[in-house]
Amino acid sequence: MKTSHLWWVAVALAVSGLVLQGWGDVEADSPFQDPLGFVGTLLVALPLALALNITMRRRRDASGESSPESVEFRAAQQARSRAYGDAVVLGAVLLLVLTIVADTAAALTAALFLTLAVGAFWVRYRLALRAMGG
C-alpha cells in the first residue's frame, strides 16, 4: 500500500473516531462508562501512530539509515546502550531510596524492576549471540 493511501485511511479512521467521541457521554467518570468515547479515542490514536511508524520506517529504509553500516544506526545503538546503563544505575539508586524511605512493597517492586531489566538484557544478548553463531 502506498504511503499516501495509508495516511488517507488513517485520517479517515481518526475523523470517524472524533465523530464517535462527539456522540459519547461527556460526563462519564471512566472510559468504561462511555464506550463510544473510548473506541473513538482508540480510532484517533492508533491509526495515526501506526501510519507514522510505518512512514518513518519506510523513510529510514529508503535513505539507508537502518543499515548496520550507517552512522545513524551506530549512533542510535551507542545511545541505546548508554541509556540502558543509565537506567540500571538509576534503578539501583531508586531501590536504595525506596529501601530507606518507603515500605517493603515499594523496595521489592524496584528490586523486581532491576532484576527484570538486567535479565531482559542478558536474554536478548544470548539470543543475539546465538543468532550470530557465537
Side-chain angles (χ1 to χ4, degrees), residues 1 4 16 24 29-30 37 41 50 55-56 58 67 78-79 81-82 100 102 115 121 128-129:
M1 176 182 266
S4 62
S16 65
D29 292 332
S30 73
T41 302
L50 186 60
T55 302
M56 294 300 294
R58 287 180 180 176
S67 169
Q78 187 178 21
S81 67
R82 289 185 178 168
I100 295 169
T115 304
F121 168 78
L129 272 181

Side-chain angles (χ1 to χ4, degrees), residues 2-132:
K2 289 176 56 174
T3 304
S4 62
H5 295 140
L6 177 72
W7 277 100
W8 278 110
V9 170
V11 168
L13 287 171
V15 169
S16 65
L18 290 174
V19 169
L20 281 177
Q21 285 179 343
W23 285 343
D25 184 11
V26 177
E27 297 181 13
D29 292 332
S30 73
F32 301 109
Q33 291 179 352
D34 181 21
L36 283 178
F38 181 68
V39 170
T41 302
L42 291 178
L43 280 176
V44 171
L46 293 179
L48 293 176
L50 186 60
L52 181 63
N53 188 1
I54 291 171
T55 302
M56 294 300 294
R57 184 170 28 100
R58 287 180 180 176
R59 286 188 181 167
R60 275 194 307 268
D61 290 345
S63 69
E65 289 179 28
S66 60
S67 169
E69 291 84 28
S70 71
V71 174
E72 292 89 356
F73 183 85
R74 289 183 298 183
Q77 182 70 23
Q78 187 178 21
R80 281 191 299 268
S81 67
R82 289 185 178 168
Y84 171 75
D86 295 343
V88 170
V89 169
L90 290 173
V93 169
L94 175 66
L95 174 63
L96 290 175
V97 169
L98 289 177
T99 302
I100 295 169
V101 175
D103 59 351
T104 306
L108 288 176
T109 303
L112 179 65
F113 165 77
L114 268 176
T115 304
L116 290 175
V118 173
F121 168 78
W122 282 106
V123 167
R124 290 177 187 267
Y125 175 73
R126 295 300 299 169
L127 289 174
L129 272 181
R130 184 176 299 157
M132 293 179 186

